[in-house]
């Protein structure tokens, strides 16, 4: 089970946050698609979940394990087009 709690991300030099207070809960065997216009933060969200980017605020949980500051590259993979 993957849970995102109040995830926020701003890049240095940016005028506004890319993501603000994002919440998501996925149960085992759930299927999820992230859609949106260019620049809406889709890739940023995926990179946060996979551990490529760190968060400014919030938590990333798998089950009851807080993985926010841990290496997740072994546990989460994504396929982009």
């Amino acid at each position: 089970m993957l849970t995102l709690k109040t995830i926020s991300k701003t890049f240095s030099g940016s005028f506004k946050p890319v993501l603000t207070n994002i919440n998501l809960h996925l149960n085992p065997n759930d299927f999820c698609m992230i859609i949106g216009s260019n620049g809406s933060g889709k890739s940023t969200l995926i990179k946060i979940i996979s551990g490529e980017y760190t968060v400014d605020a919030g938590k990333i949980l798998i089950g009851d394990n807080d993985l926010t500051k841990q290496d997740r590259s072994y546990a989460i993979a994504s396929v982009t087009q």
Side-chain angles (χ1 to χ4, degrees):
M1 156 169 55
L2 172 68
T3 303
L4 306 180
K5 291 185 176 182
T6 61
I7 297 293
S8 294
K9 177 67 177 174
T10 302
F11 291 107
S12 61
S14 178
F15 294 107
K16 62 180 183 173
V18 177
L19 301 173
T20 305
N21 295 322
I22 300 297
N23 294 292
L24 174 70
H25 180 81
L26 297 174
N27 290 309
N29 300 314
D30 278 353
F31 180 83
C32 178
M33 292 189 325
I34 300 170
I35 58 173
S37 60
N38 291 347
S40 63
K42 302 176 301 290
S43 295
T44 300
L45 181 61
I46 295 298
K47 289 178 180 184
I48 285 172
I49 293 170
S50 70
E52 188 173 340
Y53 290 167
T54 58
V55 296
D56 298 332
K59 289 189 177 194
I60 301 162
L61 305 167
I62 294 183
D64 293 329
N65 299 316
D66 185 351
L67 301 182
T68 308
K69 299 191 188 268
Q70 296 180 15
D71 179 21
R72 295 182 295 287
S73 60
Y74 65 90
I76 298 174
S78 64
V79 177
T80 59
Q81 91 181 39

